[in-house]
């Protein structure tokens, strides 16, 4: 298992009200899987992704990624772990405004302290792979939504992560761009054996996934 | 292998590709704060420097020997001058005697103490001879001759006078000088000098010979002025005079003149301090607000960097580098603006009672100001960056 959770819970405190976003989720994801996390709004699918992506801290339970238990990690260790083992694709692209396409893709590699020339070469290759070779020097504002999302996907792959997390990456895209992004994920999964966990609420995305984990009311819907 | 510093990488691109207007505005604020912090203290430094030079060149020389506390005059002047001149480091000495008189021109009468000097001695200590605006300086043998400061000589148009004057006397004009013993002498103005120093330009001089003719022979004087050889520190010179047994009241010209503008300098220093504090507060608030707004606008980007795995400390360092760039550019620009103002005022100095004044570039003024501004800028920039980068990733990413 590349990701394994045990009895994972997350409770938000909003004044006196407690919101149980996750109520004991135990599941696992195998290496090389393209898993879709689906469910209605408020079912806990994004919360689950944030916990396993180490962007948030669960209230209780265990998360094991690439064989490493993460609950005892410090903030610094988690940051390093994210940089080395994980890639992220957010709903609204999340590119750095002042960086070009190439520089955005290179950031995780440079953050890891890798050789500058090597990082730039890999970043250039990734930009070509996502079909944006001619736009490597463009800034975020000069790209369409679909192009920005492809840059985000290229960035998520920079450090050859064990797993890529994508949080509704097609939510802001038209159908054609969504198709392109999903085909790109499928291609990465099939050709590179890249493990991908993607949150979605679009039923037509199902055809691209190997497996679906369905959420309802903070639990996995069996 | 070439590693890249992430904070420097991010900061350099933020500076190059970020909002130019905000960047220029912030740099200008730092530059203006720098000028405000440095200008007044430098001007005070200029006043002090001009005053010290004027006092040394035209009023007292390097050292002043006054009568000791038990006497109103210095006795055995001739012998004392001879002794003083032998002391190492002493270049020249001149005795001065104050004489109470009443000066009467064609239009005005003033009661005024005038100074009796031996002109050849005095011009070795004080450079009045080089400041003649009309006529000539005194000669040792002159009698019935008076040398006049421009303020005392005054103007025919009273409104132009800085103090009560003789109503515009010039070289060759006659004055009736009445001495304390009742003797009246008709004296001709040999010349008028102007040093730009209020205290000197309101004086008048006669020769020692004249005084002896009127008041009789005397070896007394009111004060002895001493000039030191170039490079001799006045305090060191003073100590040497004391070591050689000059038991009268020896002061450096700075000590002697302290009372004249000492209070003004203290007031200026207080004003400078207030100005510095206000400048620092304004600079820190503006930098804080700009960096705060900047970080608020970039909360999401900070969240993204954290999510990707860039450590918090690198994100804070990114902002720190940006703040340092703003501070360095601002300080450099401020220094250039200050230098331009200083050069302009050097060419067209300000007229002060102490003489012509322009700001003095003093490292002991500039360095603390630069350091204080730097610390304030860094702290003001770091606080919002630290507070933002410290937040939870999801809070930042979701706005």
């Amino acid at each position: 298992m590349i990701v394994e959770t045990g009895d994972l819970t997350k409770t938000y405190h909003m004044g006196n009200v407690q919101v149980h976003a996750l109520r004991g989720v135990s599941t696992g994801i195998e290496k090389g899987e393209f898993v879709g996390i689906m469910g209605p709004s408020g079912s806990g699918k994004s919360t689950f992704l944030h916990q396993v992506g180490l962007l948030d801290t669960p209230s209780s339970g265990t998360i094991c990624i690439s064989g490493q238990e993460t609950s005892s990690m410090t903030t610094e260790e988690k940051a390093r772990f994210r940089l080395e083992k994980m890639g992220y694709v957010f709903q609204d692209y999340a590119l750095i405004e002042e960086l070009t396409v190439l520089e955005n893709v290179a950031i995780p590699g440079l953050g890891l302290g890798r050789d500058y020339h090597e990082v730039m070469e890999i970043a250039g290759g990734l930009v070509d792979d996502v079909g944006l070779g001619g736009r490597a020097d463009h800034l975020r504002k000069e790209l369409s939504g679909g192009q920005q999302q492809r840059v985000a996907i290229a960035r998520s792959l920079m450090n050859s992560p064990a797993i890529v997390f994508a949080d509704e990456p097609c939510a802001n895209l038209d159908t054609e761009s969504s198709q392109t992004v999903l085909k790109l994920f499928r291609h990465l999964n099939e050709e590179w054996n890249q493990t991908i966990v993607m949150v979605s609420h679009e039923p037509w995305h199902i055809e691209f996934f190997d497996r679906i984990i369905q959420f309802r009311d903070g639990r996995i819907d069996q | 292998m070439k590693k890249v510093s992430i904070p420097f990488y991010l900061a350099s691109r933020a500076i190059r590709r970020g909002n130019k207007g905000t960047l220029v505005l912030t740099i200008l604020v730092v530059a203006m704060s720098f000028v405000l912090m440095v200008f007044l203290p430098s001007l005070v430094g200029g006043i002090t420097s001009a005053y010290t030079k004027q006092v040394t060149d035209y009023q007292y020389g390097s050292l002043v020997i006054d009568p000791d506390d038990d006497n109103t005059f210095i006795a055995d002047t001739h012998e004392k001058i001879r002794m003083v001149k032998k002391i190492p480091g002493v270049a020249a000495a001149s005795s001065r005697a104050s004489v109470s008189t009443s000066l009467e021109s064609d239009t005005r009468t003033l009661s005024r103490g005038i100074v009796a000097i031996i002109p050849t001695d005095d011009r070795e200590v004080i450079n009045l001879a080089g400041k003649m605006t009309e006529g000539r300086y005194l000669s040792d043998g002159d009698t019935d001759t008076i040398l006049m400061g421009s303020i005392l000589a005054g103007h025919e148009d009273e409104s132009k006078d800085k103090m009560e004057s003789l109503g515009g006397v010039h070289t060759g004009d006659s004055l009736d000088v009445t001495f304390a013993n009742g003797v009246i002498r008709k004296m001709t103005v040999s010349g008028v000098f102007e040093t730009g120093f209020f205290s000197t330009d309101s004086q008048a001089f006669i020769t020692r010979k004249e005084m002896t003719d009127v008041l009789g022979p005397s070896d007394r004087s009111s004060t002895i002025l001493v000039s030191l050889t170039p490079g001799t520190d006045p305090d060191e010179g003073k100590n040497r005079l004391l070591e050689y047994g000059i038991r009268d009241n020896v002061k450096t010209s700075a000590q002697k003149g302290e009372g004249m503008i000492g209070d003004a300098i203290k007031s200026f220093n207080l004003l400078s301090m207030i100005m510095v504090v206000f400048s620092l507060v304004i600079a820190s608030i503006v930098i804080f607000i700009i960096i705060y707004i900047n970080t608020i606008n970039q909360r999401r980007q900070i969240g993204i960097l954290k999510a990707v795995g860039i450590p918090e400390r690198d994100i804070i360092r990114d902002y720190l580098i940006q703040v340092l760039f703003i501070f360095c550019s601002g300080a450099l620009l401020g220094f250039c603006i200050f230098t331009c103002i200083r050069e302009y005022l050097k060419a067209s100095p300000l007229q002060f009672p102490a003489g012509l004044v322009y700001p003095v570039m003093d490292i002991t003024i500039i360095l603390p100001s630069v350091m204080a501004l730097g610390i304030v800028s860094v702290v003001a920039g770091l606080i919002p960056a630290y507070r933002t980068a410290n937040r939870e990733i999801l809070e930042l990413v979701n706005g």
Side-chain angles (χ1 to χ4, degrees):
Chain A
M1 289 280 181
I2 200 154
V3 177
E4 199 168 5
T5 66
D7 205 17
L8 199 61
T9 70
K10 180 68 185 178
T11 304
Y12 294 106
H13 300 273
M14 295 173 169
N16 293 328
V17 182
Q18 289 190 335
V19 178
H20 300 286
L22 294 178
R23 299 164 185 263
V25 177
S26 298
T27 187
I29 294 159
E30 295 286 353
K31 182 170 169 45
E33 269 194 306
F34 185 3
V35 176
I37 310 283
M38 302 193 77
S41 192
S43 60
K45 54 189 190 299
S46 283
T47 306
F48 174 74
L49 194 84
H50 295 152
Q51 311 309 308
V52 292
L54 306 187
L55 300 178
D56 200 4
T57 309
S59 303
S60 67
T62 58
I63 302 167
C64 204
I65 299 169
S66 286
Q68 268 187 274
E69 166 56 43
T70 61
S71 59
S72 60
M73 285 182 181
T74 63
T75 309
E76 288 276 300
E77 286 168 344
K78 280 184 183 172
R80 184 78 189 175
F81 195 79
R82 283 198 299 273
L83 207 51
E84 285 175 347
K85 306 276 186 191
M86 301 173 177
Y88 295 89
V89 180
F90 292 95
Q91 190 173 319
D92 49 3
Y93 331 129
L95 300 182
I96 306 297
E97 303 247 357
E98 291 106 1
L99 300 184
T100 63
V101 166
L102 190 68
E103 290 165 349
N104 261 294
V105 175
I107 274 291
L110 298 175
L112 210 50
R114 294 165 66 183
D115 176 60
Y116 175 77
H117 299 295
E118 181 201 334
V119 167
M120 284 304 170
E121 202 181 319
I122 294 170
L126 287 168
V127 171
D128 286 341
D129 288 344
V130 297
L132 292 170
R135 293 181 173 263
D137 294 329
H138 286 227
L139 293 171
R140 185 194 70 87
K141 61 187 174 193
E142 296 162 342
L143 303 176
S144 69
Q147 288 170 330
Q148 288 185 51
Q149 200 58 295
R150 280 188 275 157
V151 176
I153 293 168
R155 180 180 65 189
S156 73
L157 300 169
M158 180 67 223
N159 289 336
S160 308
I163 187 164
V164 170
F165 295 105
D167 189 3
E168 304 208 38
C170 303
N172 293 338
L173 301 179
D174 57 33
T175 310
E176 194 185 335
S177 299
S178 298
Q179 286 270 8
T180 310
V181 166
L182 285 163
K183 280 177 185 166
L184 182 58
F185 274 128
R186 189 71 249 172
H187 170 79
L188 294 170
N189 175 249
E190 284 171 357
E191 300 298 318
W192 299 16
N193 198 31
Q194 178 66 56
T195 311
I196 301 168
V197 179
M198 176 173 148
V199 170
S200 172
H201 62 266
E202 291 286 349
W204 67 271
H205 290 176
I206 293 170
E207 61 176 293
F208 291 92
F209 303 140
D210 293 333
R211 183 162 68 94
I212 292 161
I213 299 175
Q214 183 75 31
F215 272 76
R216 186 177 298 277
D217 298 330
R219 292 190 179 92
I220 293 175
D221 191 0
Q222 302 298 334
Chain B
M1 178 164 160
K2 183 187 169 191
K3 276 192 180 183
V4 168
S5 154
I6 275 284
F8 185 78
Y9 190 81
L10 292 171
S12 62
R13 277 141 186 88
I15 290 164
R16 259 173 29 212
R17 298 176 188 145
N19 189 321
K20 296 280 186 299
T22 310
L23 183 69
V24 170
L25 183 75
T26 321
I27 289 173
L28 267 179
V29 168
V30 175
M32 290 306 162
S33 301
F34 177 86
V35 173
L36 277 178
M37 286 171 71
V38 168
F39 183 74
L40 201 53
S42 300
L43 195 61
V44 174
I47 293 170
T48 311
S49 163
Y51 175 72
T52 306
K53 184 171 165 39
Q54 296 278 32
V55 162
T56 306
D57 289 353
Y58 308 121
Q59 182 79 8
Y60 295 129
S62 308
L63 302 173
V64 182
I65 304 171
D66 281 333
D68 61 31
D69 293 342
D70 300 330
N71 293 296
T72 56
F73 57 85
I74 299 169
D76 304 324
T77 301
H78 187 73
E79 179 57 24
K80 210 153 269 176
I81 292 268
R82 202 178 60 80
M83 242 176 85
V84 167
K85 280 180 174 176
K86 285 183 184 172
I87 295 173
V90 171
S94 168
S95 66
R96 287 183 164 195
S98 291
V99 183
S100 297
T101 61
S102 171
L103 306 173
E104 189 179 342
S105 68
D106 289 346
T107 53
R108 312 258 176 84
T109 303
L110 289 178
S111 289
R112 186 62 56 91
I114 60 174
V115 183
I117 57 172
I118 299 169
T120 48
D121 281 358
D122 213 72
R123 69 188 302 166
E124 285 182 27
V125 180
I126 299 295
N127 186 29
L128 289 183
K131 287 288 173 181
M132 301 301 295
T133 55
E134 56 179 89
R136 63 169 181 85
Y137 189 65
L138 293 172
S139 300
D140 288 0
D142 282 347
T143 52
D144 299 336
T145 308
I146 188 164
L147 179 67
M148 192 73 50
S150 61
I151 291 176
L152 181 60
H155 302 86
E156 285 165 23
D157 178 2
E158 204 176 341
S159 65
K160 290 181 181 171
D161 285 346
K162 291 173 183 169
M163 60 170 281
E164 215 176 4
S165 77
L166 292 169
V169 298
H170 294 281
T171 305
D173 288 353
S174 287
L175 295 179
D176 286 333
V177 180
T178 308
F179 289 85
N181 61 359
V183 173
I184 300 173
R185 285 285 173 99
K186 191 168 274 300
M187 292 191 182
T188 306
V189 176
S190 71
V192 177
F193 62 85
E194 184 170 357
T195 64
F197 189 42
F198 185 88
S199 179
T200 307
D201 291 345
S202 53
Q203 288 182 309
F205 296 87
I206 57 170
T207 61
R208 191 90 182 192
K209 185 172 188 304
E210 178 93 63
M211 190 186 91
T212 307
D213 284 355
V214 175
L215 301 173
S218 166
D219 200 20
R220 293 175 177 180
S221 57
S222 316
T223 187
I224 295 173
L225 308 186
V226 179
S227 69
L228 298 171
T229 50
T232 307
D233 178 61
D235 287 315
E236 189 189 318
K238 175 186 165 181
N239 290 336
R240 210 169 283 168
L241 256 64
L242 295 172
E243 281 167 20
Y244 277 83
I246 304 297
R247 297 286 168 230
D248 300 285
N249 196 359
V250 183
K251 287 177 179 169
T252 64
S253 56
Q255 289 170 333
K256 177 77 177 171
E258 217 168 43
M260 286 197 219
I261 63 161
D263 289 341
I265 295 288
K266 275 182 199 160
S267 304
F268 269 122
N269 282 334
L270 184 65
L271 277 177
S272 302
M273 190 93 84
I274 292 168
M275 194 86 116
V276 166
V277 170
F278 270 91
S279 305
L280 282 176
V281 170
I282 290 167
S284 58
I285 289 172
V286 172
I287 291 168
F288 181 89
I289 290 170
I290 290 172
I291 299 288
Y292 184 75
I293 292 170
N294 203 18
T295 50
I296 291 289
N297 287 336
Q298 294 192 336
R299 275 167 68 104
R300 206 154 181 278
Q301 292 205 172
I302 292 172
I304 293 160
L305 287 169
K306 284 185 75 170
V308 167
I310 304 299
E312 237 171 78
R313 62 166 190 277
D314 280 353
I315 296 168
I316 293 168
R317 282 175 192 163
D318 161 20
Y319 283 88
L320 179 65
I321 291 169
Q322 291 186 51
V323 171
L324 283 174
F325 174 81
I326 288 168
F327 158 69
C328 291
S329 308
L332 191 66
L333 179 64
F335 185 77
C336 292
I337 294 171
F338 171 70
T339 306
C340 290
I341 295 172
R342 181 176 165 273
E343 289 304 312
Y344 173 75
L345 289 177
K346 209 170 171 181
S348 320
L350 301 167
Q351 180 75 52
F352 271 74
L356 298 174
V357 169
Y358 60 88
V360 170
M361 207 175 293
D362 184 350
I363 195 75
T364 60
I365 294 169
I366 291 175
L367 204 61
S369 300
V370 169
M371 283 171 67
L373 193 59
I375 291 167
V376 161
S377 304
V378 167
V379 171
L382 264 187
I383 291 171
Y386 179 80
R387 285 176 60 178
T388 308
N390 227 7
R391 290 180 185 274
E392 294 293 330
I393 295 172
L394 291 178
E395 194 186 335
L396 293 167
V397 172
N398 297 330

